[in-house]
Amino acid sequence: MKRILILNGPNLNLLGRREPEIYGHQSFEDFFEELQEEYPQVSLQYFQSNHEGELIDKLQEVGFSYYGIVFNPAGYTHTSVALCDTVKAISTAVVEVHISNIHERESFRHHSYIAAHAATSIIGKGLNGYRMGIDFLLSTKV
Amino acid sequence: MKRILILNGPNLNLLGRREPEIYGHQSFEDFFEELQEEYPQVSLQYFQSNHEGELIDKLQEVGFSYYGIVFNPAGYTHTSVALCDTVKAISTAVVEVHISNIHERESFRHHSYIAAHAATSIIGKGLNGYRMGIDFLLSTKV
Amino acid sequence: MKRILILNGPNLNLLGRREPEIYGHQSFEDFFEELQEEYPQVSLQYFQSNHEGELIDKLQEVGFSYYGIVFNPAGYTHTSVALCDTVKAISTAVVEVHISNIHERESFRHHSYIAAHAATSIIGKGLNGYRMGIDFLLSTKV
Amino acid sequence: MKRILILNGPNLNLLGRREPEIYGHQSFEDFFEELQEEYPQVSLQYFQSNHEGELIDKLQEVGFSYYGIVFNPAGYTHTSVALCDTVKAISTAVVEVHISNIHERESFRHHSYIAAHAATSIIGKGLNGYRMGIDFLLSTKV
Amino acid sequence: MKRILILNGPNLNLLGRREPEIYGHQSFEDFFEELQEEYPQVSLQYFQSNHEGELIDKLQEVGFSYYGIVFNPAGYTHTSVALCDTVKAISTAVVEVHISNIHERESFRHHSYIAAHAATSIIGKGLNGYRMGIDFLLSTKV
Amino acid sequence: MKRILILNGPNLNLLGRREPEIYGHQSFEDFFEELQEEYPQVSLQYFQSNHEGELIDKLQEVGFSYYGIVFNPAGYTHTSVALCDTVKAISTAVVEVHISNIHERESFRHHSYIAAHAATSIIGKGLNGYRMGIDFLLSTKV
Amino acid sequence: MKRILILNGPNLNLLGRREPEIYGHQSFEDFFEELQEEYPQVSLQYFQSNHEGELIDKLQEVGFSYYGIVFNPAGYTHTSVALCDTVKAISTAVVEVHISNIHERESFRHHSYIAAHAATSIIGKGLNGYRMGIDFLLSTKV
Amino acid sequence: MKRILILNGPNLNLLGRREPEIYGHQSFEDFFEELQEEYPQVSLQYFQSNHEGELIDKLQEVGFSYYGIVFNPAGYTHTSVALCDTVKAISTAVVEVHISNIHERESFRHHSYIAAHAATSIIGKGLNGYRMGIDFLLSTKV
Amino acid sequence: MKRILILNGPNLNLLGRREPEIYGHQSFEDFFEELQEEYPQVSLQYFQSNHEGELIDKLQEVGFSYYGIVFNPAGYTHTSVALCDTVKAISTAVVEVHISNIHERESFRHHSYIAAHAATSIIGKGLNGYRMGIDFLLSTKV
Amino acid sequence: MKRILILNGPNLNLLGRREPEIYGHQSFEDFFEELQEEYPQVSLQYFQSNHEGELIDKLQEVGFSYYGIVFNPAGYTHTSVALCDTVKAISTAVVEVHISNIHERESFRHHSYIAAHAATSIIGKGLNGYRMGIDFLLSTKV
Amino acid sequence: MKRILILNGPNLNLLGRREPEIYGHQSFEDFFEELQEEYPQVSLQYFQSNHEGELIDKLQEVGFSYYGIVFNPAGYTHTSVALCDTVKAISTAVVEVHISNIHERESFRHHSYIAAHAATSIIGKGLNGYRMGIDFLLSTKV
Amino acid sequence: MKRILILNGPNLNLLGRREPEIYGHQSFEDFFEELQEEYPQVSLQYFQSNHEGELIDKLQEVGFSYYGIVFNPAGYTHTSVALCDTVKAISTAVVEVHISNIHERESFRHHSYIAAHAATSIIGKGLNGYRMGIDFLLSTKV
C-alpha cells in the first residue's frame, strides 16, 4: 500500500483551538481521520511539529521510501533555506500546501523557499488543499 | 465529456524547430496528439498564441464553461498583470505549467503573476508537466 | 459634435458576468448606453480590447482628431511603456480612470505608466469615474 | 454660493519674485484675482502657507463644509503622511494640482502621498491646472 | 502630584467628527475627561497639534520636568527625524501609542522613527492604549 | 495567583558566563530569583531555550491560560515568521523585551517580527526591561 | 539576394506625424524607400506593429531564413520577456536599434531585455542607426 | 554692513541643557554672542525654530537681501523637500552646517536634501563649523 | 590532547545517500574516521544536527573549553542570527566551512551570518575544507 | 591608412596562459597578428593594460585622431565611471566588445558604464567579436 | 609660504580640447596660471592624473605637510573607497570640488565617497569652485 | 624554498605614520622584517601599491609560480571586479586578510569581491591575520 505523509509545520496544531468561531472546532487530527476514511487505498501518516529541525528529520526519514509527502511548512515557508535543501535532496515527491493565499497576505509571505523543489504548490484552497495534494500524488507520474 | 484546454503562450510553437538536437524534433502539435490518445475520456483542446491579448480572449472564452485549463504562459508569466486579472476573474480552474524550472533561471523569471490565482503550479517537469496538469484537474475537486 | 472615446483595457468586458452578486448584472455596454443618454451633446464612442496593441492602434487612430479620450488601461496601467509612449505622442487629451483605488491594492498596482502624460487621473470612484472623466474633458481647457 | 478653496503649499508664495525672467512677474495673488473674475459664480478663497501644520489646520477647517478644494501641496506632496491622512479624513473633495510635471523631475518627486485620496490629480499643466481643478469640481459629481 | 502629558499629533482632533458611524461620536476631549476621572492621583495634561514644530516645542517644554508623556505622533511617526531627535534628547520617559495596528496598514506606516527612543510602544489597542501608556508610566521604573 | 512566564530565546542562558567583566557574574537564573522575591503576588515561571520550536511549544502551552508572558526572542526576533504566528494565535498578552537597543545595532536587528502582535515592546532598558514588562502586565488591561 | 527585415515596434508609425516641427515631416515609410535605394544589393523588407504578439510572429516567420533583422522594439524593449525569448530562439542575427539614447532618458528605459541576445546594440544615433545596423549585418560574420 | 543669518533647525535650542556633561553648559545663544564679537565687521543675526514652516518663512524673508546664510537644518536635513525647494529658490548663498558627521551616524542621516543647492556643506567640525561657514561666505565669491 | 569539534548543520547527514553517483557512497561518518586517523594528535569529535537549537546548544557546550570548532552551518548560514550570536559569544575559535562555493549558487546563499565572527572562512574546497579548517586551527594563533 | 586601436582591459593578457585546455594556447598577441593579416587595409594597433588610468590615457591619446577603437574594458566595464566619462569625451567612435555574454554571468556584470556612449556593443561572440567590431567601424558612418 | 595643491582626477586634462565650443578653449593649465596670479601669497601646486593610484600617491605625499588640498576627484568620486580612505587618513584639509552639479546628473553621480571626510564640498559652481576652495582653506580654521 | 608574497593594497603604506598614538609607530616594513625572522623556512616577499593595476600586475607575475599569496586588498576589496577576475584566473592560492572587521564598519565595506575566489578569508584579527594567512598556506593543502 502506498504510504503518504501529511506533514504540518508550526502552529497548525492550534487548529480547532484558535479562534474557533472563525476556524471552526475541528482539529487537524479530526480532519486527518476524515482523510484516512476518504483514502482507504493509501497508508496515510500524519506528523506535525513546531521545530524546523524535526520537520527536516521527518522529511529525511520518509523521503527515500514513501510514495509522497503533502507538506504545509507554515511560517518556515518563507525563512528556511534548510528545509529548501531537504526537499531538494530527498527523492520522494513533495506537494506544498498552504491553507490561505499567501500572495494576499503580508509581503514577507509572498516568497516560498520550498516551491522551487516541490512537485507542485497548492495555495489558498483551505483544508481541501490537502485532498488536492493527495489526489495529485495518486494521479500523476511525478 | 469534460473539456480541458491546453493553452500555450509565446514561442512554444517553436518546439521541434528550435535547436532540435537539444529539444528533439517533436512539435507540440505532435505531443498534443499523444495527449489526446492518452486521455480518451477528455475532450482536449489546444490553442497557442504569441499575443497576450489572444491568450486573454481565449481564457475568457472558455473560462466559464470548460472543466479546466492547463496554461503555460511562457514569457508573459513574469510581466502580465492583465493575464493575472483574467485567471482571477474566470471560474474555470487553471493549472500553471512551466517546462523548465523558472527558479533556476534568470532572476526576472522567478516571479509569476499567475501563481497567486492558479489552482496549482507545476514547474520544471518537462512536457510531463502537461500530463500532471490534466491528471490534477481530473483527480481533484478544485 | 465633440467626439469622445471611452477606451477600456483588458478584462473590463467581463463586467456583469464576473461575480455578478458583487459587481451587479449590468455590463459595460449597458452602462455605456446610459452614458450616451446622459451626454446627448457628445458623440460618445466605445472600444474595449484585451490586446495592448489594439489599444495603441485605437489611441493613434483617434488621438489626433477626437476631442478627448477616457481611458481605463486596467492591467496594462502598470506594465506598458508602449502605451505610455502613445499617450504622450498623441495630441488628444487622455483622462485616466480606474474603477477601484489602485493605491489600496497590491503594491505592483501602485505605479501607473499612464499618469505622467494623462490630463488627469481619476481613481477609485467606481463607474462614476467615467462620468467624471467626460465632465472633466467638457469643462476644462486642457 | 459654492465655496472653493485654493490651497497652496510651501514656496508658492515666491511666484513673481523668483526668477521672474522665467516665471514672469505675476504673483499668485494677481493670478488669484483673475480666477475670481473668471468664476463669478463661485466663492473662491485663497490660502498659502509654508507650514505643513497650517495646511492641515486649513484643510480641517473647510473640509466638512466647503464645496471643493484645489490643493497644490508642493514639497509636502512627497513627504507628508500627515497631509495624506487629512485629505482622507475630510469629506470635501480635493483636487491635487502640480504646476510642473513631477514625473519628469528628480525621482523623489515621482511619488505623491496625496494622490491616493484626491478626487483627481492634474499634473504639469502650469497655472492652468488650477482652472482645470475648479472646472473639475464644478462639473463632476465626486 | 505626578504630571503626565497626553500628546496627540495630526488629525487626532478629528475624533468624533470623522466617520462617526465608525469611530463613534466621542471626541478625544471627552475621552480625556474620562481619563482624568480614572486617574485622580495624576495631574493629566492634554495637548494636540497638527504642527510638527509645536509637538517638538511641547516635548521640549515638559520633557525635563514632567513625570511622563504618552505620545501618539500619528502621521509624523513615519517621517519625522526631528521628533526622533527630540524624544531622544529629553529626559522624561515617552510612551509611543498608536490606536490602530500600523503594521497591518500600508507599508510606509510600518517604520517608526520614535520607537528607538520611546520607553515602550503600544500598538493597535484602540483608545485603551492611552490607559496602558499611563499605567505603564505609573507602574514601572523607566 | 496570576501566572506570568518569563521566556528567553537563544544565548540568553550565557548571561554571567559570557564576558563577565562586562555583563557581570550574575546569571539570569539568579536575576530570576530576585524577580520572584520582588513580585511575591505573582506566580513567576522561567523558561529558556535555544530552540525556535521549543519556544513555540512553550508559548502554545501557556498561551491560553497564563496571565501574561514577558518574552525576549533574542536572535529569533528578526528571522522567525513562525514565532510571529504563534504570538498572534495565542490569547495571553505578550510583552516583547530586548536588553540592548536593537535599533542601534546592525541593520538586520532593526526589524522585529514579534512587535506587530506584542502588547508592547520594551527596548534597550537592560535587565530592568523584564521588570517593566511585568509591571506593564500587572497594571494594564490589555 | 540577401533578405534583411527592418522591424519596428510600437509608435514608430507616428514618425512624420508626431511633433513634425521637431522630428520632421518624413515618415518611416519614406525613410525606408531611401534605404532601399541606398542598398540595392539587399532585399530590404519593412514591418511595423504596435502589437507585441505580431512582432513575435514576424520574428519567428523570418527568423530561420532571412539574412538579418534590424529591430527597434521601442517600448517593448524594457518590458517584454516574450520578445527576449524569441530573439534568443531564432537563428537569424538581430541588431537592436534605438533612435534616442535610452540611457539618458527615464530610468525604466535603461534596461533592455533584447540586448542579451542581440548581435549588437546601436543606441542614440538617430535614424542613421538603421543604416549602421544594415552595414553591421552585411560586413560581419555573426 | 553685510548681514549674515545663522539659522538653526529643530532641537538645537537644547544645547547647554541636553547632556551638559557631554555637550558642555554653553547654550547656542552664548556661543552666538562669541561669534558676534569675533566678527564685528558683520551684522550677524540668529534665528532658531523647531518648525519647518518657520525655517522656510525665515529663509524667504532674508533670502533676497542678506549677504549669506549659515544653516543647520538638523533633523529636517534628511526629510524636507520643501526646504530643499526654498534653498534653491532664494538668491542668497546658503552654507549647510552639521555639528556631527552625519555620514557616521544612522543611514537615514546620510542623505541631505539641502546639499544639492547649498553653496557648500561643512560636516562634523563641531561648533567651529559655524565659523567656517561665515569665513567661507566672507572670503569667497559664490 | 587538544579537542576539536567537527560540527555539521542540516542535511549534511545525507552524504553518501543523496545522489551517490555524484557525491559518492562515502558517508560523512566514514570521512570522519579518515580524519581521526589523519590527525592522531587531536581529539576529534563529530556532531551533526538538523536542528538550529541543537547546534547552538552544542556550540555553547564546547565553546568555552575546546581548542577549536570546524563548523559547516549549511542552510542556517544564511538565515540564523541566533547562530551568529552564539559564535560571537563563545571563546573557542570557529572555522566556517562550506563544501561548495556559496558565492556561485543562488543569491540568497551569498551572505553568511557566521563569517563576521568566524576565525576564517573556507569556501568551495569540497571535503578537503574540513582538513584545511583543522590545519588552520592547529597552525595559527587565533 | 585608417588607424584602429584594439584596446584590452585587465586580465586579457592572460589569454593562452589561463586554463589553456579551455581557452586554448593562443595568446591575444597571436590573435592580433591574425587580425592584422586579415585587415591589410587598416593600420591596426594593440594596447593592453591592467591599469584603469592607462586605459584612460590611451583613449585620450588616440581618441581625437584615430578612425576607431575596439575596446574590451573587462572588469572595469562594471565599475568605472571614469572610463565612461572618457569614452563620452573623445570624438573617435568606440565599439565595446565582451568575449563572453556578460548578461549570463553574475548580476554585477550585467550593467555596463561604457554602453551608453559606445557606438555599439558586441557581447558574447568570442574572439570573433573583435572582427565584428572592426567590420562595424569600417562599414558604418558613426 | 602656505602650500596648496590643486588635484584633478580623470579627464579633467581634456579641458579646452573637449567640445571647445561649449567649454571654451582655455585649458586647466591656463586657468591654473590665472589662479597663481590671483593668489600670490600662496604656493599653488597643480597635479592631474587619470590614475586612481597616482591620486592616492599624491594625496599621501603632500597630505602631512601641505596647508590644504583642493581636490576634484571626477569619476572616482562615486566609485573609490580607496580614495575615501586616503582623504580620511591624511592630516591636511581637503576641499572637494565638482565643476557641475553632480546632484542634477545621472543617479550614479549623486553619492560621493569623498564628502564624508572632506573639510567641505563645493558643487556646481564651475571653475570658480576652485577659487572658493582656496578661499575656504585660507579663511577658515579647519 | 617556498615563496610567499605579502601583497598590500592602498593606504597600508601609511601604517606607523597615520595616527601613531592609536596604530603605533611600527611601519609595515618593520612588521614584515619580524615576519621574515619568524618564518625562516619561507622566502617571504613584500609588495604594496596604491594602484589597482599594479596589484593586478603583481598577482599575475607571481600567480603561476609562487607557493601562496597573503593579500590585503584594502579599499579595492569592495569595488574591484578586475581584481576579482585576477584572483580567479591565477593558480596560486590567495588568502584574503583584513586587519579590522569589515563587517562592523560602514555597509559598503561588508561585501568582498575577492572572497569568492580566495582560499580563505581572515577578518578582524589585526596584524596577526598576516601570520594566520602564512600559517594557513603552510599547513593546508589548498
Side-chain angles (χ1 to χ4, degrees), chain F residues 14-82:
Chain F
L14 293 181
L15 206 74
R17 191 174 176 198
R18 172 189 179 189
E19 300 176 86
E21 65 287 0
I22 296 175
Y23 296 104
H25 288 79
Q26 190 188 34
S27 69
F28 199 90
E29 282 75 7
D30 292 344
F31 173 69
F32 178 66
E33 286 184 19
E34 281 183 25
L35 281 182
Q36 284 180 310
E37 285 168 27
E38 293 177 37
Y39 295 90
Q41 76 279 31
V42 185
S43 169
L44 274 186
Q45 312 286 321
Y46 176 57
F47 185 76
Q48 188 275 340
S49 176
N50 296 322
H51 299 238
E52 188 177 7
E54 287 181 3
L55 296 167
I56 296 171
D57 287 349
K58 181 59 80 176
L59 283 167
Q60 292 185 354
E61 179 192 323
V62 310
F64 296 92
S65 58
Y66 271 43
Y67 180 78
I69 300 167
V70 178
F71 183 24
N72 183 339
Y76 293 134
T77 307
H78 322 295
T79 64
S80 178
V81 173

Side-chain angles (χ1 to χ4, degrees), chain A residues 7-27:
Chain A
L7 183 61
N8 268 349
N11 299 305
L12 288 161
N13 59 327
L14 292 181
L15 206 73
R17 191 174 175 198
R18 173 188 179 188
E19 300 176 87
E21 65 286 1
I22 296 174
Y23 296 105
H25 288 79
Q26 190 187 34
S27 69

Side-chain angles (χ1 to χ4, degrees), chain J residues 56-88:
Chain J
I56 296 170
D57 287 349
K58 181 58 80 176
L59 283 167
Q60 291 185 353
E61 179 192 324
V62 310
F64 297 91
S65 57
Y66 272 43
Y67 180 75
I69 300 167
V70 177
F71 183 23
N72 183 340
Y76 291 134
T77 306
H78 322 296
T79 64
S80 178
V81 173
L83 275 166
C84 163
D85 288 347
T86 314
V87 171
K88 187 180 179 190

Side-chain angles (χ1 to χ4, degrees), chain G residues 69-120:
Chain G
I69 301 168
V70 178
F71 183 24
N72 183 339
Y76 292 133
T77 307
H78 322 295
T79 64
S80 178
V81 173
L83 275 166
C84 163
D85 289 346
T86 313
V87 171
K88 188 181 180 188
I90 62 179
S91 53
T92 300
V94 175
V95 175
E96 181 188 17
V97 169
H98 297 284
I99 295 175
S100 64
N101 190 340
I102 57 177
H103 297 291
E104 293 180 345
R105 301 181 66 190
E106 301 99 316
S107 63
F108 62 78
R109 297 193 201 266
H110 294 190
H111 175 258
S112 164
Y113 277 112
I114 311 303
H117 304 297
T120 196

Side-chain angles (χ1 to χ4, degrees), chain A residues 101 103-104 116-117 119-122 125 128 132 135-136 139-142, chain B residues 101 103-104 116-117 119-122 125 128 132 135-136 139-142:
Chain A
N101 191 340
H103 296 293
E104 293 179 346
H117 303 297
T120 197
S121 300
I122 300 168
K125 304 294 175 185
N128 199 41
M132 291 164 74
D135 292 341
F136 179 87
S139 67
T140 66
K141 282 168 241 103
V142 184
Chain B
N101 191 339
H103 297 291
E104 293 179 346
H117 303 298
T120 198
S121 301
I122 300 168
K125 304 295 177 185
N128 199 40
M132 291 165 74
D135 292 342
F136 179 87
S139 66
T140 67
K141 282 166 244 112
V142 184

Side-chain angles (χ1 to χ4, degrees), chain D residues 13-86:
Chain D
N13 58 327
L14 293 181
L15 207 74
R17 192 173 174 198
R18 173 188 179 188
E19 300 177 85
E21 64 287 2
I22 297 174
Y23 296 104
H25 288 79
Q26 190 187 34
S27 69
F28 198 90
E29 282 75 7
D30 293 343
F31 173 69
F32 178 66
E33 286 185 19
E34 279 183 26
L35 282 181
Q36 285 180 310
E37 287 168 26
E38 292 176 37
Y39 296 90
Q41 76 278 32
V42 185
S43 168
L44 275 185
Q45 312 286 319
Y46 175 57
F47 185 75
Q48 189 274 340
S49 176
N50 296 322
H51 299 238
E52 188 177 7
E54 287 182 2
L55 296 168
I56 297 170
D57 287 348
K58 183 57 82 175
L59 283 167
Q60 292 185 353
E61 179 191 325
V62 309
F64 297 92
S65 57
Y66 270 44
Y67 180 76
I69 300 167
V70 177
F71 183 22
N72 183 339
Y76 292 134
T77 306
H78 322 295
T79 63
S80 178
V81 173
L83 275 166
C84 163
D85 288 348
T86 313

Side-chain angles (χ1 to χ4, degrees), chain G residues 21-37:
Chain G
E21 65 286 2
I22 296 174
Y23 296 105
H25 288 79
Q26 189 188 35
S27 68
F28 199 90
E29 281 76 7
D30 292 344
F31 173 68
F32 178 66
E33 285 185 21
E34 280 182 27
L35 281 182
Q36 284 181 310
E37 285 168 27

